[in-house]
Amino acid sequence: MAGFGSTRTRMSPRSRGRMGSRSGPDRATFGIIGLVCAIAGFFVLGIVLGPIALITGWLSMDRRWSNRHVPAVIAVVLGAIDTVIALTTLF
């Protein structure tokens, strides 16, 4: 019964031991999702997939412009081009 209800052994949900830092596969996955959305946006639903590619690419880069995350940079650039093309064909 040691440890049940004891505040010393319970960790808060946001403590360092319970939650890892947002790096590694999470960021890489966002970059790849953004890249796939950007490429697919050239063919279908560019007005929707372009901004999704921009957002996921930007989140993958941790909201900083850096060339260390190549798929994320490509997703942001292609997403911006995709959004501009979709908007110009819309109007």
Side-chain angles (χ1 to χ4, degrees):
M1 288 293 242
F4 275 127
S6 173
T7 57
R8 276 191 342 184
T9 58
R10 295 179 73 193
M11 299 179 73
S12 90
R14 297 264 184 204
S15 66
R16 281 187 171 224
R18 299 275 308 223
M19 303 286 286
S21 65
R22 290 195 40 113
S23 63
D26 290 338
R27 296 199 191 281
T29 303
F30 272 143
I32 292 169
I33 289 171
L35 184 60
V36 168
C37 286
I39 292 171
F42 281 112
F43 302 106
V44 291
L45 294 173
I47 195 72
V48 175
L49 294 176
I52 290 174
L54 276 168
I55 292 168
T56 55
W58 189 252
L59 289 175
S60 176
M61 290 189 301
D62 197 23
R63 297 177 290 242
R64 285 178 279 152
W65 189 256
S66 124
N67 60 359
R68 294 184 313 164
H69 310 286
V70 175
V73 172
I74 294 172
V76 169
V77 171
L78 289 180
I81 292 170
D82 191 23
T83 303
V84 168
I85 289 172
L87 286 175
T88 56
T89 58
L90 188 64
F91 293 113

